[in-house]
Amino acid sequence: MEPLPSSLVWLLLCVMRALGLVLTAPILSARTVPGTVRLCVGLMLALAMFTSATPGALDPATPLWVAAARDTALGALTGFCARMALEAAQVAGQLVAAAMGMSYGAMVSPGSGAESTAIGELLGMAALGVGVALGLHRELATWLVLSVQSHPPGGALDVRQEAAHALELSAHSLAMGIRLAFPMLTALTLAHIFLGLVGRTAAQLNLSSLGFSVTILCGGGVLYVTAPEIAAAAAHAAVAVVAR
């Protein structure tokens, strides 16, 4: 059996890298996006990669399936890192919802299919909207085209190092989500302290009904002020991850 032409192998590896990015990248990885749309977008991005550089020489010692797995992992890890940066806003919303006592009204996220809360979905969609306004989708497409120069398809790739880097960025995204929720958590903590003092001085008050109203007012007020900054911070972090 004759080996495949190098240009065809190059195109195949470009397709695998583009499809890996599409499977995990924000917006395109949502469950509401049909699989046909993902496939078409991945093929168009792969064609842009293929035409952006001259196909290079492939390592004959590397099996085709190994090279395809490497390129798929590289695209998937990049999209995963961008998605985790955006998820920091939703993490902040989940923490605030739990502190406000609104986590009992859990819902299924239409994008991921996981259990979420109204505040988490609100901040997550706001961060996604800001990300689109900042051109996150364009940054992902630009990275994909430029990656042909920095990481040629079929070339050597340390998957372990890339996976470790992705886990490190995920940990940073989780820490950022906690930092973004800190102002609202501080306001709610002060509200609970105030309720404790009131309960000590006026024991006849029904704090079980009053406390929920106070936490809703304090948490909602701080959320109204900080929600734009939370969404912008998560979106800028996602764009910075892809640009870097």
Side-chain angles (χ1 to χ4, degrees):
M1 181 176 180
E2 296 182 358
L4 295 175
S6 59
S7 58
L8 182 59
V9 175
W10 180 279
L11 177 60
L12 175 62
L13 296 178
C14 289
V15 170
M16 298 305 295
R17 183 177 299 184
L19 291 180
L21 179 68
V22 168
L23 286 175
T24 58
I27 304 173
L28 293 174
S29 62
R31 296 180 60 186
T32 53
V33 179
T36 307
V37 175
R38 299 183 192 178
L39 180 61
C40 292
V41 172
L43 292 177
M44 288 188 295
L45 292 175
L47 184 61
M49 291 175 60
F50 181 74
T51 57
S52 63
T54 305
L58 302 175
D59 186 8
T62 303
L64 180 58
W65 68 271
V66 174
R70 288 176 179 173
D71 283 286
T72 305
L74 180 60
L77 287 174
T78 302
F80 175 77
C81 291
R83 183 175 179 179
M84 288 302 297
L86 277 180
E87 292 290 333
Q90 191 164 1
V91 169
Q94 299 282 61
L95 293 174
V96 173
M100 292 175 62
M102 298 182 64
S103 58
Y104 63 87
M107 55 182 290
V108 176
S109 174
S112 61
E115 186 176 306
S116 182
T117 59
I119 298 178
E121 286 297 306
L122 174 64
L123 293 179
M125 293 302 295
L128 185 60
V130 176
V132 173
L134 292 176
L136 177 59
H137 54 296
R138 294 191 298 270
E139 291 289 342
L140 289 169
T142 302
W143 171 85
L144 198 58
V145 174
L146 294 180
S147 68
V148 179
Q149 306 293 338
S150 59
H151 297 83
L157 178 66
D158 191 349
V159 179
R160 290 185 178 180
Q161 182 180 359
E162 297 295 335
H165 185 57
L167 290 176
E168 181 182 358
L169 289 177
S170 300
H172 284 302
S173 299
L174 179 60
M176 184 175 67
I178 298 175
R179 291 197 301 268
L180 292 177
F182 185 76
M184 290 175 284
L185 295 178
T186 302
L188 292 172
T189 302
L190 294 176
H192 289 145
I193 293 174
F194 171 76
L195 289 174
L197 295 175
V198 171
R200 295 286 293 179
T201 56
Q204 67 274 16
L205 292 177
N206 186 8
L207 294 181
S208 60
S209 59
L210 180 63
F212 185 72
S213 301
V214 172
T215 54
I216 290 293
L217 289 175
C218 292
V222 180
L223 177 64
Y224 177 79
V225 175
T226 59
E229 285 74 14
I230 292 175
H236 279 93
V239 172
V241 166
V242 178
R244 191 171 54 187

